[in-house]
Amino acid sequence: AKVDIIEKMPSSAYRKLMEGIECMGVRPSSTTASSSSSSSSSSSLTTVVDLGACPGGWTAVVRRCFDDSRVIAVDRTVVDSSLMKDGMVDFVKGDAFAFEPPERTLAEGGGSGSGSGSSSGSTSNDNNNNNDLWMISDVIAYPERATELMSKWCEMKWASHMIVTM
């Protein structure tokens, strides 16, 4: 799999996400949304929740390679400053294992913007389209904890696609 990005990245862990996406053969983009043709383009944006996002390598991959995707980056520590300034990245300061995605995915121009620091996980959106919500996680945890996280997300049907390292 092609797993290198020439430009500077916040960490080298981004390669794991690129390999996962390559192996899945599916990419986060507006084309993964299962919306009707009468829907506006803003309702077909993919939202990617990056749990354990700091320093931001995986968030950077989503933003650089899939620029029509919005990212909710969740971590106790802020992500790279370039990502905090990105209007398509919504930073949530908090515990990746306690985070619950917003009922409504972020829409174009919606959300609280870069570096919001919100810990509730809620956003000010009007589009309810969780069919195009992805969860990615490279959080440091024991395998049992990562399995519990995936089980919770699967049981609640919060994401259409997940990539999680163990």
Side-chain angles (χ1 to χ4, degrees), residues 90-161:
D90 206 14
F91 176 73
V92 176
K93 186 175 181 81
D95 182 354
F97 294 96
F99 179 80
E100 294 185 4
E103 288 184 27
R104 301 166 196 273
T105 59
L106 296 172
E108 187 174 39
S112 53
S114 61
S116 69
S118 167
S119 61
S120 67
S122 62
T123 57
S124 58
N125 312 298
D126 294 323
N127 293 321
N128 190 2
N129 192 3
N130 280 353
N131 291 333
D132 58 348
L133 184 106
W134 283 51
M135 185 270 275
I136 58 175
S137 179
D138 191 28
V139 70
I140 298 169
Y142 288 109
E144 296 82 15
R145 192 92 196 267
T147 302
E148 289 172 12
L149 180 66
M150 288 188 302
S151 294
K152 177 181 172 182
W153 277 71
C154 287
E155 181 180 314
M156 300 304 294
K157 298 180 181 170
W158 283 334
S160 60
H161 298 80

Side-chain angles (χ1 to χ4, degrees), residues 71-92:
V71 181
I72 301 173
V74 181
D75 205 298
R76 292 180 174 151
T77 306
V78 297
V79 293
D80 187 77
S81 61
S82 64
L83 297 168
M84 293 295 286
K85 296 173 188 170
D86 186 330
M88 294 289 278
V89 174
D90 206 14
F91 176 73
V92 176

Side-chain angles (χ1 to χ4, degrees), residues 14 23 38 58 89 112 127 146:
Y14 76 89
C23 289
S38 63
W58 284 30
V89 174
S112 53
N127 293 321

Side-chain angles (χ1 to χ4, degrees), residues 8-25:
K8 186 179 183 307
M9 296 293 281
S11 74
S12 62
Y14 76 89
R15 291 179 180 98
K16 292 183 274 186
L17 177 61
M18 291 183 71
E19 184 175 17
I21 290 170
E22 179 81 17
C23 289
M24 285 176 61

